Amino acid sequence: VLSTRGRHLAVTMFDVRIGAGTLGRGGLVRDVTGAREVEQMKDHLIGMAAHEFKTPVTALRMRVESLLRVDAQWSEAFRDELLHGMLDDVGRLQMLVSDWLDVARIESGGLRLALDAVPVARLLKAAVDAVRPQGEFSVQIDVPDHLQAVLDAQRMQQVLINLLSNAVRYCNRPPAVVLRAWRDASGWLLIQVEDNGIGIPAEDQARVFDRFFQVARGNTRRPGGTGLGLAIARGIVVAHGGSIDLASVPGEGSVFTLRLPPPADEPAKDTP
């Protein structure tokens, strides 16, 4: 297999014969880039699954073994601590499985949306409340009270939770987030998530929405993750007929902008 300019080519050589004689040598060139990418993705997935599952499974086993010890006189408070730890471990495993299932649905075009009219301010506040247990952060919400949108509230909240979680996780100072939402002159809904995190280098910004891609974060508050969160976020936004963009300055922060089309009965004059 030959590799050149990002392409993978498989070359098969053969003799060219005429009757009993050999005229020369020929070659068959096949583009196997897609097959190699699938193979690499499978290898990456297997390696990542082994790494990501190892920690919660090991912790879960240790806690179960502790509870099963017949010779131990655990206090009720310690037993509760073990059980809550087990619940956290199971939650982590469920999140990993859910992420991979979401990626599979997005790739196959099988992501289904339950669309409904939703107050945007309520959507943003619900996402903020869901992220609060992950750590302290300040938030400013700038959204008109009357602003509504037709979308899948659960899926869009999943997008916002991912962006807010990253804002809290990848910050080396007290995290501060600004959430904005408005409609432009063409009726498109814009939602912005601005943070004061470590930012994303310019050379990585075009790849942050790719599956499994993870920026080399350096000294961050909570390293880790599967590299699927932003890929899933983009898939959900695209399924709504929209787009998601990034502007980031390393050391200062990032701004993610979601653009969602107006309802079908309010066609846009021009796409943003």
Side-chain angles (χ1 to χ4, degrees):
V1 178
L2 301 177
S3 299
T4 176
R5 295 182 181 180
R7 311 298 296 180
H8 301 284
L9 307 175
V11 181
T12 304
M13 303 301 297
F14 56 88
D15 292 329
V16 179
R17 298 180 179 275
I18 298 180
T22 299
L23 181 62
R25 297 277 289 172
L28 176 64
V29 180
R30 293 179 296 115
D31 189 336
V32 295
T33 303
R36 285 295 297 271
E37 289 178 348
V38 170
E39 181 180 344
Q40 291 173 356
M41 186 179 71
K42 288 181 179 178
D43 291 342
H44 194 150
L45 179 60
I46 292 172
M48 186 186 66
H51 175 75
E52 293 294 330
F53 272 90
K54 182 177 181 179
T55 299
V57 168
T58 300
L60 189 60
R61 179 184 179 90
M62 292 176 60
R63 291 185 172 107
V64 170
E65 289 176 345
S66 296
L67 288 173
L68 290 176
R69 285 184 54 184
V70 295
D71 60 327
Q73 300 295 324
W74 304 126
S75 67
E76 193 67 26
F78 184 68
R79 290 174 61 88
D80 286 344
E81 181 181 342
L82 290 177
L83 289 172
H84 280 92
M86 292 168 63
L87 187 61
D88 290 340
D89 295 333
V90 172
R92 174 61 178 163
L93 294 172
Q94 287 179 322
M95 185 184 69
L96 291 170
V97 173
S98 178
D99 281 353
W100 292 332
L101 289 175
D102 281 343
V103 168
R105 293 188 187 102
I106 290 169
E107 290 295 317
S108 66
L111 184 65
R112 300 186 181 277
L113 302 177
L115 301 178
D116 198 4
V118 178
V120 177
R122 187 175 69 187
L123 177 72
L124 299 182
K125 291 176 182 177
V128 169
D129 291 341
V131 178
R132 284 293 184 195
Q134 297 183 22
E136 293 294 328
F137 64 98
S138 64
V139 61
Q140 174 185 336
I141 299 179
D142 183 9
V143 183
D145 292 336
H146 64 278
L147 187 60
Q148 288 198 344
V150 176
L151 44 77
D152 186 320
Q154 182 175 352
R155 286 298 186 181
M156 197 55 59
Q157 186 173 326
Q158 183 179 353
V159 173
L160 295 169
I161 288 174
N162 178 269
L163 298 178
L164 290 169
S165 296
N166 286 344
V168 175
R169 182 179 297 115
Y170 302 117
C171 191
N172 52 15
R173 51 185 164 177
V177 180
V178 179
L179 300 175
R180 305 183 185 90
W182 71 96
R183 286 198 183 277
D184 66 9
S186 299
W188 283 66
L189 174 67
L190 278 70
I191 300 176
Q192 279 189 344
V193 179
E194 179 180 352
D195 65 53
N196 66 336
I198 62 175
I200 299 171
E203 62 271 19
D204 292 330
Q205 292 180 21
R207 301 183 58 197
V208 295
F209 297 104
D210 293 347
R211 291 170 301 175
F212 306 120
F213 180 76
Q214 292 179 289
V215 177
R217 300 284 186 175
N219 183 23
T220 59
R221 291 185 59 185
R222 298 181 184 179
T226 62
L228 295 177
L230 289 178
I232 294 171
R234 180 181 62 178
I236 292 173
V237 174
V238 170
H240 280 81
S243 64
I244 180 170
D245 301 314
L246 164 67
S248 185
V249 178
E252 296 185 14
S254 303
V255 180
F256 289 88
T257 302
L258 285 61
R259 291 179 171 85
L260 301 170
D265 57 346
E266 299 178 17
K269 301 173 184 178
D270 299 293
T271 56

